[in-house]
């Protein structure tokens, strides 16, 4: 009696398994594993058979099985506030281009600028056992700090630089720049240009925005020109439309304003468009400065004075630190946390 050929086994998802590939290639499952994970340990002929069988069967190695074998998931939790803000898109690009060649896949979590939402997203991401974590900012809930204290995997914070002694019970590694100093640089620049009635327009009001506002405020105090009545701060998400609206509100209530610091470039671009529509000459009547040097800032009419921030470089350096920490697998980095200041550049153009 002729035996009926055994049908290939399949996983619960219906995908081909390593056993299916082994049967098709005429080798053991262990050989398939070696050929795929360490191809230098098998002959070229065996490797070719395994690769051909894998392609023909559509075999995708199980990350779960690989994680159990290596104690790694090859994933990194990356939490950012928004996928519509170009600042964090650039940061994420730097993270991705650095992690990908090392075989790591980012698990992206969106927090919506809310510390409580961030805690919920972090708890969800940690359930997937990532090999490391990258966070935006340092404004965490007590619950998030508790989670971070208990982790043995490396954690990198981005965009902010914590002050010495802060969170001493949970040492943090940070990559970013001084938001306060950057805001101070804008305020000092406008004062040095001889402007007397220097206003502020800010939206979103996340901690980084507030820090740059604090820096601007201190610069004007030092110059003897700070007037709190010239500050217009709203919680709305920043946009070109909001910048145009807030420019009109500012000039309606304080028509003698002769300079404005808008805390993000989209606000500043909206203000410039509205100045053009209203016939307000920039910078002769009103100087305008933005923040972040987003795409298009150098091409507005006139070109926008702003602060160039190293978003992509922050992502690259954060990922590099994380890769080093994941390779080390010791708590050394948590005992001796690094604070990497990548700086900023004041881009003086024609609007001031």
């Amino acid at each position: 009696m002729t035996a009926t050929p055994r049908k290939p086994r399949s996983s619960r998802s219906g995908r081909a398994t390593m056993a299916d590939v082994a049967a098709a290639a005429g080798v053991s499952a262990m050989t398939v594993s070696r050929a795929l994970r360490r191809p230098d340990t098998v002959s070229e002929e065996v490797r070719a058979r395994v690769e051909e069988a894998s392609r023909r069967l559509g075999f995708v190695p199980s990350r779960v099985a690989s994680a159990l074998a290596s104690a790694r998931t090859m994933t990194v939790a990356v939490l950012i506030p928004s996928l519509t803000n170009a600042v964090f898109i650039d940061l994420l690009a730097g993270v991705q281009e650095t992690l990908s060649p090392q075989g790591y896949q980012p698990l992206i979590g969106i927090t919506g600028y809310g510390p409580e939402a961030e805690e919920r997203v972090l708890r969800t991401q940690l359930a997937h056992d990532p090999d490391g974590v990258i966070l935006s900012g340092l404004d965490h809930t007590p619950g998030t700090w508790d989670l971070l204290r208990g982790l043995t995997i490396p954690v990198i914070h981005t965009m902010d630089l914590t002050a010495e002694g802060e969170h001493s019970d949970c040492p943090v590694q940070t990559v970013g720049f001084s938001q306060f100093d950057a805001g101070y640089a804008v305020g000092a620049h406008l004062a040095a240009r001889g402007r007397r009635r220097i206003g502020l327009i800010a939206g979103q009001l996340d901690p980084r925005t507030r820090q740059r506002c604090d820096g601007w405020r201190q610069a004007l105090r030092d110059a003897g020109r700070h007037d709190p009545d010239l500050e217009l701060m709203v919680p709305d998400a920043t946009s070109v439309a909001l910048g145009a609206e807030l420019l009109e509100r500012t000039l309606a209530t304080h028509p003698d304003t002769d300079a404005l610091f808008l805390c993000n470039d989209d606000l500043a671009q909206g203000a410039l468009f509205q100045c053009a529509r209203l016939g307000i000459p920039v910078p002769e009547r009103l100087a305008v400065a933005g923040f972040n040097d987003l795409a298009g800032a150098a091409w507005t009419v006139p070109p926008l004075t702003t602060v160039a921030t190293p978003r992509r470089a922050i992502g690259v350096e954060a990922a590099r630190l994380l890769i080093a920490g994941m390779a080390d697998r010791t708590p050394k980095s948590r005992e001796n946390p690094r604070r990497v200041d990548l700086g900023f550049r004041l881009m003086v153009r024609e609007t001031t």
Side-chain angles (χ1 to χ4, degrees), residues 4-125:
T4 302
R6 185 168 59 91
K7 291 183 179 180
R9 291 173 292 172
S10 61
S11 64
R12 286 186 299 171
S13 65
R15 301 198 319 254
T17 67
M18 192 173 292
D20 297 333
V21 175
V27 297
S28 68
M30 185 176 294
T31 299
V32 172
S33 178
R34 286 204 308 271
L36 295 176
R37 297 183 58 192
R38 297 183 58 195
D40 57 308
T41 62
V42 301
S43 70
E44 188 173 334
E45 186 267 336
V46 167
R47 184 167 66 250
R49 279 164 40 207
V50 169
E51 289 175 353
E52 193 279 330
S54 297
R55 282 194 300 271
R56 180 159 45 84
L57 296 174
F59 173 65
V60 178
S62 168
R63 277 210 178 263
V64 173
S66 178
L68 289 173
S70 66
R72 291 181 186 272
T73 63
M74 301 305 292
T75 60
V76 169
V78 182
L79 274 63
I80 58 174
S82 170
L83 271 176
T84 59
N85 187 329
V87 169
F88 297 104
I89 295 298
D90 289 345
L91 184 148
L92 190 59
V95 169
Q96 169 67 20
E97 72 185 37
T98 308
L99 289 179
S100 182
Q102 303 299 318
Y104 287 99
Q105 180 67 34
L107 299 174
I108 302 168
I110 309 303
T111 67
Y113 295 93
E116 291 77 17
E118 179 190 60
E119 181 181 343
R120 291 194 297 271
V121 174
L122 180 60
R123 288 182 183 278
T124 299
Q125 299 288 56

Side-chain angles (χ1 to χ4, degrees), residues 322-343:
L322 199 72
I323 289 167
M326 292 185 298
D328 193 10
R329 292 200 174 192
T330 72
K332 287 180 185 176
S333 60
R334 294 172 68 84
E335 295 169 5
N336 301 290
R338 293 185 60 188
R339 183 172 179 265
V340 182
D341 185 350
L342 295 182

Side-chain angles (χ1 to χ4, degrees), residues 50-212:
V50 169
E51 289 175 353
E52 193 279 330
S54 297
R55 282 194 300 271
R56 180 159 45 84
L57 296 174
F59 173 65
V60 178
S62 168
R63 277 210 178 263
V64 173
S66 178
L68 289 173
S70 66
R72 291 181 186 272
T73 63
M74 301 305 292
T75 60
V76 169
V78 182
L79 274 63
I80 58 174
S82 170
L83 271 176
T84 59
N85 187 329
V87 169
F88 297 104
I89 295 298
D90 289 345
L91 184 148
L92 190 59
V95 169
Q96 169 67 20
E97 72 185 37
T98 308
L99 289 179
S100 182
Q102 303 299 318
Y104 287 99
Q105 180 67 34
L107 299 174
I108 302 168
I110 309 303
T111 67
Y113 295 93
E116 291 77 17
E118 179 190 60
E119 181 181 343
R120 291 194 297 271
V121 174
L122 180 60
R123 288 182 183 278
T124 299
Q125 299 288 56
L126 291 178
H128 295 280
D129 292 323
D131 298 320
V133 177
I134 295 177
L135 298 171
S136 302
L138 289 156
D139 53 316
H140 307 314
T141 64
T144 293
W145 284 114
D146 287 342
L147 287 172
L148 297 179
R149 287 186 196 95
L151 295 179
T152 57
I153 57 176
V155 177
I156 310 295
H157 291 75
T158 62
M159 302 305 292
D160 286 355
L161 296 175
T162 183
E164 286 188 21
E166 205 172 40
H167 314 302
S168 57
D169 60 339
C170 183
V172 296
Q173 293 205 92
T174 61
V175 181
F177 63 96
S178 173
Q179 302 275 348
F180 180 95
D181 289 352
Y184 189 100
V186 176
H189 169 71
L190 293 174
R193 283 290 205 254
R195 304 291 171 162
R196 310 298 303 182
R197 299 286 289 164
I198 304 172
L200 170 77
I201 290 177
Q204 194 64 65
L205 305 187
D206 59 84
R208 290 168 294 283
T209 298
R210 292 197 295 268
Q211 288 169 29
R212 68 186 71 136

